[in-house]
Structure formats: C-alpha cells, structure tokens
Amino acid sequence: MNTFIKSCKVDYMRLTLDVKDEEHQELIRLNMEDLACRIANKTTAELTQILYPKAGYERFIRLPLFEEEFNHSGSNIETPHLVVKCSPSSSSRRFLAIELKGHKYSKSQWYCARLFLEHILTPELYLYYWDQLTVTNVHIALGSDIPLSKLLFDKLLSRKAGIYFNSDGDIELIYFQPKNRMQELAVYDRKAKEKNFG
C-alpha cells in the first residue's frame, strides 16, 4: 500500500435494479410491507417508523445487520445497515435501489443482507435479477494524514468542479464531474465533515 494511504475500504455502495414486470413490482412492495410488519412485531418501533415514503420513493426501509441499538427512522451513521427503496416517484429512476451503508461488513452481516434481499425479492427473483443489478454509487474511504488542502487534482477533464469549505474554513469537499456526466468524483475530508455535525 502507498506510504501515504494507511487504509482503504468501501463504506457505501448503491445498487439499482430496473424491475419492469408489474407482478414482480407488486410482489416486492408486498414483501417489503411483510418484512416491516415482522420487524415491528419484534421491536418497539412503530410500523410507520420502519416503512415510509422518503427520498422520492414510495417505500423506504432501513434494515439493521445484527445491531441491537438501531433507529429505523434515523441515519445510523457508522452503523452497518441496509437501505432498500422501491417505487420511485420519477420515471427516470429504477424501480429498486439498495444501499449498503456503514463500515465494511463481516461475513455474517453480508449473509444477513442477502437474507433481507431474498425476503424482499424472493429467492427465485433474487437469482433471476442478480446479474441485472447495477452499481451506481460507491464511496471509498482512504485513511491518510494528508489534508485535502495538500492534495493536487487535475480538473481539466471535468465539466464541473468545486471546492466546499466547512464553517471553520477547512476544505471539506472537492467535487468533479467528467464531461460525460455519467460519473462523478467527490473527495471529502471526514474530520472536516464531522466538525460541521459537532
């Protein structure tokens, strides 16, 4: 590993799936409702805290991966969990979005995530759609002592670029979008970002 990089991990990944079959769509919606009811029966959380509309989707659910202290309606920063969204309000979005959040998952957490997805999709549809899942967003966390202000980026190939500062004047985010618009790169300083949240 490079002497400037102390660690490297994926701490967020977004997968999307374009389900066109209306019977499959309805089955996914019903399975999400069933899963939310099962969670509500086993926890103190209300059903409306577990499954609700959010972020432009009709159904939005946060699923803990073996976490006892979990807030179904909160962001659960730093806690490994799964977010599943379906039935977007915009026709330009794919029907199903799956977000893997938190730090790297253990083998048992990956297994738990798979069981949740198999429950939502059914084991048959999980296998049917597996190779159609598309990775649309990835966050890679690099551990380094070098602040963003000391890094050099070539933005000549970008259509858009920007630098954002936190309230203390530290560089929090450097953002690039290539000219093809299909990709974007955002490099942020986690310490600077956390200062804004106190």
Side-chain angles (χ1 to χ4, degrees):
M1 192 175 287
N2 188 307
T3 55
F4 299 109
I5 298 174
K6 297 179 176 181
S7 64
C8 179
K9 65 185 175 194
V10 172
D11 66 359
Y12 170 86
M13 184 182 294
R14 185 173 199 265
L15 307 165
T16 58
L17 181 62
D18 203 11
V19 179
K20 302 256 188 223
D21 187 298
E22 290 183 9
E23 287 182 15
H24 292 176
Q25 290 179 355
E26 185 59 21
L27 182 60
I28 290 167
R29 283 192 280 267
L30 291 172
N31 287 344
M32 286 182 74
E33 288 174 15
D34 177 67
L35 183 57
C37 288
R38 289 171 187 253
I39 292 169
N41 288 336
K42 293 187 182 226
T43 65
T44 58
E46 297 290 326
L47 185 59
T48 54
Q49 293 175 301
I50 299 168
L51 185 68
Y52 48 90
K54 185 178 178 182
Y57 287 85
E58 182 185 311
R59 286 175 173 75
F60 181 103
I61 190 169
R62 292 182 192 277
L63 301 167
L65 303 176
F66 297 119
E67 298 296 326
E68 290 182 22
E69 297 294 323
F70 191 78
N71 181 352
H72 287 276
S73 56
S75 61
N76 297 284
I77 294 172
E78 308 294 328
T79 304
H81 65 285
L82 193 66
V83 170
V84 181
K85 306 180 248 189
C86 78
S87 298
S89 54
S90 169
S91 61
S92 64
R93 289 185 176 178
R94 294 177 171 211
F95 178 78
L96 187 69
I98 302 157
E99 296 176 359
L100 308 164
K101 295 189 169 195
H103 293 293
K104 69 178 186 177
Y105 292 0
S106 65
K107 193 181 261 187
S108 59
Q109 288 169 324
W110 277 117
Y111 182 68
C112 184
R114 178 179 175 158
L115 291 178
F116 277 134
L117 293 176
E118 283 185 349
H119 184 93
I120 291 168
L121 290 167
T122 74
E124 295 78 23
L125 292 184
Y126 177 84
L127 292 174
Y128 177 78
Y129 284 115
W130 176 251
D131 62 346
Q132 297 176 44
L133 282 168
T134 304
V135 176
T136 55
N137 195 331
V138 177
H139 292 192
I140 299 171
L142 299 174
S144 176
D145 291 332
I146 302 172
L148 283 184
S149 59
K150 302 290 185 202
L151 297 177
L152 182 65
F153 296 94
D154 182 356
K155 64 175 187 165
L156 294 177
L157 298 176
S158 295
R159 187 179 70 86
K160 278 200 293 189
I163 298 176
Y164 298 87
F165 299 87
N166 69 5
S167 56
D168 292 338
D170 302 323
I171 294 178
E172 182 178 323
L173 170 72
I174 300 175
Y175 168 83
F176 302 95
Q177 187 178 54
K179 291 177 182 174
N180 65 13
R181 298 184 189 196
M182 295 300 291
Q183 300 170 337
E184 63 184 36
L185 175 66
V187 182
Y188 63 89
D189 184 327
R190 187 64 176 260
K191 288 181 183 175
K193 188 175 181 185
E194 290 302 320
K195 278 184 187 178
N196 277 346
F197 290 108

mmCIF file of all heavy atoms in Angstrom, residues 16-29 86 88 93-97 121 125 128-129 132-133:
data_model
loop_
_atom_site.group_PDB
_atom_site.id
_atom_site.type_symbol
_atom_site.label_atom_id
_atom_site.label_comp_id
_atom_site.label_asym_id
_atom_site.label_seq_id
_atom_site.Cartn_x
_atom_site.Cartn_y
_atom_site.Cartn_z
ATOM 1 N N THR A 16 -28.785 -0.509 -8.074
ATOM 2 C CA THR A 16 -30.150 -0.270 -8.555
ATOM 3 C C THR A 16 -30.570 -1.411 -9.469
ATOM 4 O O THR A 16 -29.735 -2.090 -10.071
ATOM 5 C CB THR A 16 -30.267 1.066 -9.305
ATOM 6 O OG1 THR A 16 -29.353 1.076 -10.403
ATOM 7 C CG2 THR A 16 -30.001 2.242 -8.388
ATOM 8 N N LEU A 17 -31.881 -1.589 -9.559
ATOM 9 C CA LEU A 17 -32.437 -2.659 -10.375
ATOM 10 C C LEU A 17 -33.696 -2.148 -11.058
ATOM 11 O O LEU A 17 -34.582 -1.588 -10.405
ATOM 12 C CB LEU A 17 -32.774 -3.865 -9.479
ATOM 13 C CG LEU A 17 -33.346 -5.092 -10.161
ATOM 14 C CD1 LEU A 17 -32.366 -5.684 -11.167
ATOM 15 C CD2 LEU A 17 -33.712 -6.134 -9.112
ATOM 16 N N ASP A 18 -33.765 -2.320 -12.362
ATOM 17 C CA ASP A 18 -34.926 -1.867 -13.116
ATOM 18 C C ASP A 18 -35.886 -3.043 -13.287
ATOM 19 O O ASP A 18 -35.708 -3.871 -14.175
ATOM 20 C CB ASP A 18 -34.484 -1.315 -14.468
ATOM 21 C CG ASP A 18 -35.502 -0.350 -15.044
ATOM 22 O OD1 ASP A 18 -36.429 0.038 -14.313
ATOM 23 O OD2 ASP A 18 -35.364 0.013 -16.221
ATOM 24 N N VAL A 19 -36.866 -3.126 -12.423
ATOM 25 C CA VAL A 19 -37.876 -4.196 -12.475
ATOM 26 C C VAL A 19 -39.055 -3.672 -13.282
ATOM 27 O O VAL A 19 -39.758 -2.762 -12.845
ATOM 28 C CB VAL A 19 -38.323 -4.602 -11.052
ATOM 29 C CG1 VAL A 19 -39.387 -5.688 -11.116
ATOM 30 C CG2 VAL A 19 -37.131 -5.044 -10.222
ATOM 31 N N LYS A 20 -39.273 -4.240 -14.450
ATOM 32 C CA LYS A 20 -40.348 -3.758 -15.330
ATOM 33 C C LYS A 20 -41.637 -4.563 -15.156
ATOM 34 O O LYS A 20 -42.727 -4.039 -15.362
ATOM 35 C CB LYS A 20 -39.901 -3.851 -16.790
ATOM 36 C CG LYS A 20 -38.640 -3.062 -17.090
ATOM 37 C CD LYS A 20 -38.983 -1.821 -17.814
ATOM 38 C CE LYS A 20 -37.711 -1.140 -18.294
ATOM 39 N NZ LYS A 20 -37.745 0.275 -18.077
ATOM 40 N N ASP A 21 -41.512 -5.828 -14.792
ATOM 41 C CA ASP A 21 -42.668 -6.705 -14.635
ATOM 42 C C ASP A 21 -43.533 -6.217 -13.469
ATOM 43 O O ASP A 21 -43.076 -6.147 -12.330
ATOM 44 C CB ASP A 21 -42.178 -8.134 -14.375
ATOM 45 C CG ASP A 21 -43.316 -9.140 -14.368
ATOM 46 O OD1 ASP A 21 -44.209 -9.019 -13.503
ATOM 47 O OD2 ASP A 21 -43.289 -10.054 -15.211
ATOM 48 N N GLU A 22 -44.805 -5.893 -13.758
ATOM 49 C CA GLU A 22 -45.691 -5.328 -12.739
ATOM 50 C C GLU A 22 -46.007 -6.316 -11.623
ATOM 51 O O GLU A 22 -46.172 -5.923 -10.466
ATOM 52 C CB GLU A 22 -46.979 -4.806 -13.385
ATOM 53 C CG GLU A 22 -46.730 -3.563 -14.222
ATOM 54 C CD GLU A 22 -47.999 -2.986 -14.820
ATOM 55 O OE1 GLU A 22 -49.113 -3.445 -14.452
ATOM 56 O OE2 GLU A 22 -47.885 -2.080 -15.661
ATOM 57 N N GLU A 23 -46.078 -7.608 -11.941
ATOM 58 C CA GLU A 23 -46.304 -8.622 -10.897
ATOM 59 C C GLU A 23 -45.108 -8.689 -9.957
ATOM 60 O O GLU A 23 -45.274 -8.819 -8.747
ATOM 61 C CB GLU A 23 -46.570 -9.990 -11.527
ATOM 62 C CG GLU A 23 -47.933 -10.103 -12.162
ATOM 63 C CD GLU A 23 -48.188 -11.487 -12.738
ATOM 64 O OE1 GLU A 23 -47.444 -12.429 -12.396
ATOM 65 O OE2 GLU A 23 -49.150 -11.614 -13.525
ATOM 66 N N HIS A 24 -43.914 -8.604 -10.516
ATOM 67 C CA HIS A 24 -42.700 -8.598 -9.693
ATOM 68 C C HIS A 24 -42.658 -7.346 -8.816
ATOM 69 O O HIS A 24 -42.284 -7.407 -7.640
ATOM 70 C CB HIS A 24 -41.444 -8.665 -10.561
ATOM 71 C CG HIS A 24 -41.281 -9.978 -11.264
ATOM 72 N ND1 HIS A 24 -40.256 -10.209 -12.152
ATOM 73 C CD2 HIS A 24 -42.002 -11.134 -11.219
ATOM 74 C CE1 HIS A 24 -40.351 -11.443 -12.624
ATOM 75 N NE2 HIS A 24 -41.407 -12.009 -12.078
ATOM 76 N N GLN A 25 -43.035 -6.202 -9.384
ATOM 77 C CA GLN A 25 -43.062 -4.954 -8.620
ATOM 78 C C GLN A 25 -44.009 -5.070 -7.422
ATOM 79 O O GLN A 25 -43.657 -4.696 -6.307
ATOM 80 C CB GLN A 25 -43.494 -3.785 -9.510
ATOM 81 C CG GLN A 25 -42.474 -3.383 -10.546
ATOM 82 C CD GLN A 25 -42.974 -2.235 -11.422
ATOM 83 O OE1 GLN A 25 -44.121 -1.793 -11.313
ATOM 84 N NE2 GLN A 25 -42.108 -1.758 -12.301
ATOM 85 N N GLU A 26 -45.203 -5.589 -7.671
ATOM 86 C CA GLU A 26 -46.189 -5.717 -6.594
ATOM 87 C C GLU A 26 -45.703 -6.702 -5.531
ATOM 88 O O GLU A 26 -45.880 -6.468 -4.332
ATOM 89 C CB GLU A 26 -47.545 -6.166 -7.168
ATOM 90 C CG GLU A 26 -48.663 -6.218 -6.147
ATOM 91 C CD GLU A 26 -48.947 -4.892 -5.459
ATOM 92 O OE1 GLU A 26 -48.592 -3.815 -5.994
ATOM 93 O OE2 GLU A 26 -49.516 -4.929 -4.343
ATOM 94 N N LEU A 27 -45.076 -7.793 -5.947
ATOM 95 C CA LEU A 27 -44.538 -8.769 -5.003
ATOM 96 C C LEU A 27 -43.458 -8.134 -4.122
ATOM 97 O O LEU A 27 -43.433 -8.346 -2.909
ATOM 98 C CB LEU A 27 -43.960 -9.966 -5.765
ATOM 99 C CG LEU A 27 -43.405 -11.110 -4.914
ATOM 100 C CD1 LEU A 27 -44.493 -11.695 -4.017
ATOM 101 C CD2 LEU A 27 -42.803 -12.181 -5.798
ATOM 102 N N ILE A 28 -42.603 -7.321 -4.707
ATOM 103 C CA ILE A 28 -41.547 -6.626 -3.940
ATOM 104 C C ILE A 28 -42.171 -5.670 -2.927
ATOM 105 O O ILE A 28 -41.769 -5.619 -1.764
ATOM 106 C CB ILE A 28 -40.582 -5.891 -4.894
ATOM 107 C CG1 ILE A 28 -39.734 -6.914 -5.660
ATOM 108 C CG2 ILE A 28 -39.700 -4.895 -4.142
ATOM 109 C CD1 ILE A 28 -38.968 -6.343 -6.843
ATOM 110 N N ARG A 29 -43.188 -4.915 -3.350
ATOM 111 C CA ARG A 29 -43.873 -3.997 -2.428
ATOM 112 C C ARG A 29 -44.501 -4.757 -1.257
ATOM 113 O O ARG A 29 -44.358 -4.364 -0.097
ATOM 114 C CB ARG A 29 -44.945 -3.187 -3.169
ATOM 115 C CG ARG A 29 -44.387 -2.057 -4.014
ATOM 116 C CD ARG A 29 -45.493 -1.123 -4.489
ATOM 117 N NE ARG A 29 -46.208 -1.646 -5.630
ATOM 118 C CZ ARG A 29 -45.909 -1.381 -6.905
ATOM 119 N NH1 ARG A 29 -44.887 -0.603 -7.197
ATOM 120 N NH2 ARG A 29 -46.617 -1.896 -7.873
ATOM 121 N N CYS A 86 -38.134 1.329 -2.987
ATOM 122 C CA CYS A 86 -38.781 0.887 -4.230
ATOM 123 C C CYS A 86 -39.912 1.838 -4.597
ATOM 124 O O CYS A 86 -40.338 2.652 -3.782
ATOM 125 C CB CYS A 86 -39.265 -0.559 -4.123
ATOM 126 S SG CYS A 86 -40.788 -0.796 -3.217
ATOM 127 N N PRO A 88 -40.203 4.415 -7.274
ATOM 128 C CA PRO A 88 -39.828 5.837 -7.325
ATOM 129 C C PRO A 88 -40.944 6.693 -7.898
ATOM 130 O O PRO A 88 -41.742 6.237 -8.712
ATOM 131 C CB PRO A 88 -38.604 5.837 -8.248
ATOM 132 C CG PRO A 88 -38.786 4.648 -9.119
ATOM 133 C CD PRO A 88 -39.498 3.620 -8.274
ATOM 134 N N ARG A 93 -35.990 7.075 -12.635
ATOM 135 C CA ARG A 93 -35.278 6.239 -11.664
ATOM 136 C C ARG A 93 -35.643 4.778 -11.846
ATOM 137 O O ARG A 93 -36.742 4.449 -12.283
ATOM 138 C CB ARG A 93 -35.639 6.651 -10.232
ATOM 139 C CG ARG A 93 -35.065 7.972 -9.831
ATOM 140 C CD ARG A 93 -35.367 8.221 -8.383
ATOM 141 N NE ARG A 93 -34.749 9.449 -7.930
ATOM 142 C CZ ARG A 93 -34.879 9.930 -6.713
ATOM 143 N NH1 ARG A 93 -35.594 9.275 -5.814
ATOM 144 N NH2 ARG A 93 -34.300 11.047 -6.367
ATOM 145 N N ARG A 94 -34.735 3.903 -11.456
ATOM 146 C CA ARG A 94 -35.015 2.476 -11.496
ATOM 147 C C ARG A 94 -35.936 2.104 -10.344
ATOM 148 O O ARG A 94 -35.966 2.786 -9.326
ATOM 149 C CB ARG A 94 -33.710 1.693 -11.427
ATOM 150 C CG ARG A 94 -32.877 1.921 -12.672
ATOM 151 C CD ARG A 94 -31.573 1.212 -12.593
ATOM 152 N NE ARG A 94 -30.921 1.300 -13.884
ATOM 153 C CZ ARG A 94 -30.119 0.378 -14.354
ATOM 154 N NH1 ARG A 94 -29.828 -0.688 -13.640
ATOM 155 N NH2 ARG A 94 -29.569 0.513 -15.534
ATOM 156 N N PHE A 95 -36.648 1.013 -10.511
ATOM 157 C CA PHE A 95 -37.681 0.636 -9.550
ATOM 158 C C PHE A 95 -37.134 0.363 -8.154
ATOM 159 O O PHE A 95 -37.740 0.732 -7.154
ATOM 160 C CB PHE A 95 -38.440 -0.605 -10.055
ATOM 161 C CG PHE A 95 -39.489 -1.081 -9.100
ATOM 162 C CD1 PHE A 95 -40.705 -0.426 -9.016
ATOM 163 C CD2 PHE A 95 -39.261 -2.166 -8.265
ATOM 164 C CE1 PHE A 95 -41.680 -0.845 -8.122
ATOM 165 C CE2 PHE A 95 -40.221 -2.594 -7.364
ATOM 166 C CZ PHE A 95 -41.436 -1.931 -7.297
ATOM 167 N N LEU A 96 -35.982 -0.273 -8.062
ATOM 168 C CA LEU A 96 -35.447 -0.690 -6.759
ATOM 169 C C LEU A 96 -34.043 -0.125 -6.564
ATOM 170 O O LEU A 96 -33.208 -0.183 -7.471
ATOM 171 C CB LEU A 96 -35.396 -2.219 -6.698
ATOM 172 C CG LEU A 96 -35.033 -2.865 -5.370
ATOM 173 C CD1 LEU A 96 -36.134 -2.655 -4.342
ATOM 174 C CD2 LEU A 96 -34.776 -4.356 -5.543
ATOM 175 N N ALA A 97 -33.800 0.426 -5.378
ATOM 176 C CA ALA A 97 -32.468 0.912 -5.012
ATOM 177 C C ALA A 97 -32.076 0.263 -3.695
ATOM 178 O O ALA A 97 -32.880 0.197 -2.755
ATOM 179 C CB ALA A 97 -32.464 2.432 -4.879
ATOM 180 N N LEU A 121 -37.100 -9.845 -2.481
ATOM 181 C CA LEU A 121 -37.234 -10.244 -3.881
ATOM 182 C C LEU A 121 -37.815 -11.654 -4.063
ATOM 183 O O LEU A 121 -38.289 -11.976 -5.149
ATOM 184 C CB LEU A 121 -35.868 -10.207 -4.576
ATOM 185 C CG LEU A 121 -35.256 -8.840 -4.832
ATOM 186 C CD1 LEU A 121 -33.797 -8.976 -5.220
ATOM 187 C CD2 LEU A 121 -36.021 -8.113 -5.923
ATOM 188 N N LEU A 125 -36.556 -14.657 -7.504
ATOM 189 C CA LEU A 125 -36.301 -13.371 -8.165
ATOM 190 C C LEU A 125 -34.910 -12.842 -7.840
ATOM 191 O O LEU A 125 -34.293 -12.161 -8.657
ATOM 192 C CB LEU A 125 -37.358 -12.334 -7.784
ATOM 193 C CG LEU A 125 -38.774 -12.581 -8.303
ATOM 194 C CD1 LEU A 125 -39.688 -11.426 -7.929
ATOM 195 C CD2 LEU A 125 -38.783 -12.814 -9.800
ATOM 196 N N TYR A 128 -32.859 -14.519 -10.334
ATOM 197 C CA TYR A 128 -33.243 -14.046 -11.661
ATOM 198 C C TYR A 128 -32.648 -12.665 -11.964
ATOM 199 O O TYR A 128 -32.153 -12.409 -13.058
ATOM 200 C CB TYR A 128 -34.766 -14.011 -11.765
ATOM 201 C CG TYR A 128 -35.286 -13.472 -13.072
ATOM 202 C CD1 TYR A 128 -35.292 -14.261 -14.216
ATOM 203 C CD2 TYR A 128 -35.775 -12.173 -13.159
ATOM 204 C CE1 TYR A 128 -35.768 -13.771 -15.422
ATOM 205 C CE2 TYR A 128 -36.263 -11.668 -14.355
ATOM 206 C CZ TYR A 128 -36.253 -12.470 -15.480
ATOM 207 O OH TYR A 128 -36.718 -11.973 -16.675
ATOM 208 N N TYR A 129 -32.691 -11.755 -10.962
ATOM 209 C CA TYR A 129 -32.261 -10.378 -11.182
ATOM 210 C C TYR A 129 -30.803 -10.120 -10.790
ATOM 211 O O TYR A 129 -30.304 -9.025 -11.019
ATOM 212 C CB TYR A 129 -33.157 -9.409 -10.390
ATOM 213 C CG TYR A 129 -34.513 -9.189 -11.020
ATOM 214 C CD1 TYR A 129 -35.676 -9.607 -10.375
ATOM 215 C CD2 TYR A 129 -34.639 -8.552 -12.255
ATOM 216 C CE1 TYR A 129 -36.923 -9.388 -10.941
ATOM 217 C CE2 TYR A 129 -35.883 -8.333 -12.828
ATOM 218 C CZ TYR A 129 -37.021 -8.755 -12.169
ATOM 219 O OH TYR A 129 -38.247 -8.542 -12.738
ATOM 220 N N GLN A 132 -28.508 -8.414 -13.121
ATOM 221 C CA GLN A 132 -29.015 -7.150 -13.651
ATOM 222 C C GLN A 132 -28.811 -5.978 -12.686
ATOM 223 O O GLN A 132 -29.095 -4.840 -13.029
ATOM 224 C CB GLN A 132 -30.501 -7.294 -13.985
ATOM 225 C CG GLN A 132 -30.767 -8.326 -15.074
ATOM 226 C CD GLN A 132 -32.248 -8.518 -15.311
ATOM 227 O OE1 GLN A 132 -33.016 -7.566 -15.373
ATOM 228 N NE2 GLN A 132 -32.671 -9.769 -15.442
ATOM 229 N N LEU A 133 -28.341 -6.283 -11.470
ATOM 230 C CA LEU A 133 -28.052 -5.213 -10.511
ATOM 231 C C LEU A 133 -26.926 -4.340 -11.054
ATOM 232 O O LEU A 133 -25.935 -4.843 -11.578
ATOM 233 C CB LEU A 133 -27.627 -5.800 -9.168
ATOM 234 C CG LEU A 133 -28.740 -6.332 -8.269
ATOM 235 C CD1 LEU A 133 -28.142 -7.145 -7.137
ATOM 236 C CD2 LEU A 133 -29.583 -5.191 -7.716
#
